[in-house]
């Protein structure tokens, strides 16, 4: 579990543990991770990891060693901002975490599973419905989620190219979830993280390739995709 100290990652870790999984958690806040291991039966190990740092992959393997093996890698490390002023620090931090950090960790896990063909491995990553269209209020965030989704789709194709049968990829696309990421916003149709986590785990356990939560957002995304670019860029969505 990468990014388990808050939001969706925190809730998914708890749901997996309650369903009988042995869970290893990781994130930047070691005190929160330590508390999760101490207080939640089934969460058995932790490692403090910052996905933006090159040594993050070394720490990941330490966590795998603590667990003994890994069957599921769940990645929810991500940040985002409404950034109409296009503050460069916010844009670059978002790209560094959501694109470079994600590719660093997911690529490492893919290589790990590919080198252990005896293990049925699953890689599940949080993208977003924001992947559907470029959002002017959050340029780097929506672009990073598009990157994430395309990266996962590419890995799916890569398993076919290389004849890899033991790696399963899951792209998780939530709508607006009430987490610290959108705290203080007035986004409509906000979902509870605890309920979203249950839907995510059910989809993971069925090894669904794409999970869009929930049916209202599946409908919304369907209509978003029908809007021509020339009209979309003129809409004042904020």
């Amino acid at each position: 579990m990468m990014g388990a100290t808050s939001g969706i990652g925190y809730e998914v870790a708890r749901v997996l543990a309650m369903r009988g999984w042995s869970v290893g958690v990781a994130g930047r806040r070691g005190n929160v991770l330590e508390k999760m291991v101490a207080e939640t039966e089934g969460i058995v190990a932790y490692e403090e990891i910052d996905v933006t740092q090159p040594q993050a992959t070394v720490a990941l393997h330490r966590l795998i060693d603590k667990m003994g093996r890994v069957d599921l890698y769940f990645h929810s490390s991500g940040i985002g901002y409404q950034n109409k002023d296009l503050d460069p620090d916010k844009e670059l931090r978002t790209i560094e975490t959501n694109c470079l950090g994600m590719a660093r960790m997911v690529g490492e896990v893919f290589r790990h599973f590919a080198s252990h063909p005896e293990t049925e491995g699953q890689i599940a990553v949080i993208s977003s419905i924001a992947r559907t269209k470029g959002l002017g209020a959050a340029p780097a965030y929506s672009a990073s989620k598009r990157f994430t989704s395309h990266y996962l789709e590419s890995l799916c194709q890569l398993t076919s190219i290389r004849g890899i049968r033991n790696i399963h990829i899951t792209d998780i696309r939530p709508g607006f979830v009430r987490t610290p990421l959108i705290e203080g916003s007035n986004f409509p149709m906000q979902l509870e993280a605890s309920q979203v986590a249950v839907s995510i785990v059910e989809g993971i356990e069925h090894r669904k390739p794409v999970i869009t939560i929930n049916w209202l957002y599946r409908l919304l995304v369907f209509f978003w995709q029908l809007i021509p670019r020339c009209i979309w860029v003129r809409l004042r969505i904020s």
Side-chain angles (χ1 to χ4, degrees):
M1 288 286 310
M2 190 64 59
T5 57
S6 66
I8 294 174
Y10 179 85
E11 296 294 340
V12 168
R14 293 176 67 251
V15 173
L16 286 170
M18 286 188 293
R19 289 189 177 225
W21 290 68
S22 293
V23 181
V25 290
R28 291 183 296 178
R29 291 185 285 169
N31 59 323
V32 176
L33 299 169
E34 186 177 10
K35 186 177 180 182
M36 292 174 73
V37 171
E39 296 181 351
T40 306
E41 184 178 356
I43 300 180
V44 299
Y46 79 92
E47 190 73 31
E48 193 170 339
I49 299 176
D50 181 347
V51 301
T52 66
Q53 300 302 310
Q55 62 269 27
T57 54
V58 176
L60 173 63
H61 283 287
R62 283 201 300 268
L63 181 57
I64 293 173
D65 290 341
K66 290 178 183 178
M67 298 295 297
R69 60 178 284 172
V70 60
D71 302 294
L72 166 68
Y73 174 79
F74 182 87
H75 188 98
S76 64
S77 294
I79 61 173
Y81 307 93
Q82 291 193 67
N83 192 17
K84 297 175 189 176
D85 293 330
L86 216 62
D87 179 278
D89 289 338
K90 290 180 178 179
E91 294 294 276
L92 295 176
R93 278 200 303 270
T94 300
I95 292 167
E96 184 178 31
T97 302
N98 298 2
C99 298
L100 300 181
M102 183 279 301
R104 173 180 289 114
M105 306 309 291
V106 170
E108 187 68 19
V109 174
F110 187 97
R111 289 185 290 274
H112 174 82
F113 284 141
S115 65
H116 293 78
E118 73 282 359
T119 300
E120 288 289 323
Q122 184 173 7
I123 299 172
V125 183
I126 298 287
S127 62
S128 172
I129 63 161
R131 65 169 293 284
T132 310
K133 293 283 189 179
L135 300 175
Y141 179 76
S142 59
S144 72
K145 294 306 180 179
R146 185 76 164 194
F147 175 91
T148 296
S149 191
H150 277 205
Y151 192 82
L152 297 175
E153 185 175 66
S154 299
L155 293 186
C156 285
Q157 189 178 74
L158 182 58
T159 62
S160 295
I161 292 171
R162 292 177 54 179
I164 297 173
R165 299 183 181 276
N166 69 309
I167 302 178
H168 309 276
I169 309 293
T170 299
D171 181 353
I172 303 166
R173 305 170 183 175
F176 300 127
V177 182
R178 193 171 288 114
T179 67
L181 191 65
I182 62 170
E183 189 174 4
S185 72
N186 58 354
F187 289 129
M189 298 164 52
Q190 291 189 24
L191 306 172
E192 292 296 333
S194 57
Q195 296 173 347
V196 168
V198 172
S199 297
I200 287 173
V201 171
E202 288 175 352
I204 285 172
E205 291 182 332
H206 286 90
R207 287 186 174 163
K208 291 184 176 180
V210 176
I211 305 170
T212 303
I213 304 167
N214 57 15
W215 71 268
L216 284 172
Y217 280 105
R218 288 194 289 272
L219 191 63
L220 176 64
V221 167
F222 173 79
F223 285 111
W224 271 10
Q225 291 172 329
L226 297 179
I227 300 174
R229 184 181 186 279
C230 61
I231 295 175
W232 178 264
V233 297
R234 288 173 171 78
L235 298 179
R236 297 185 177 182
I237 298 173
S238 60

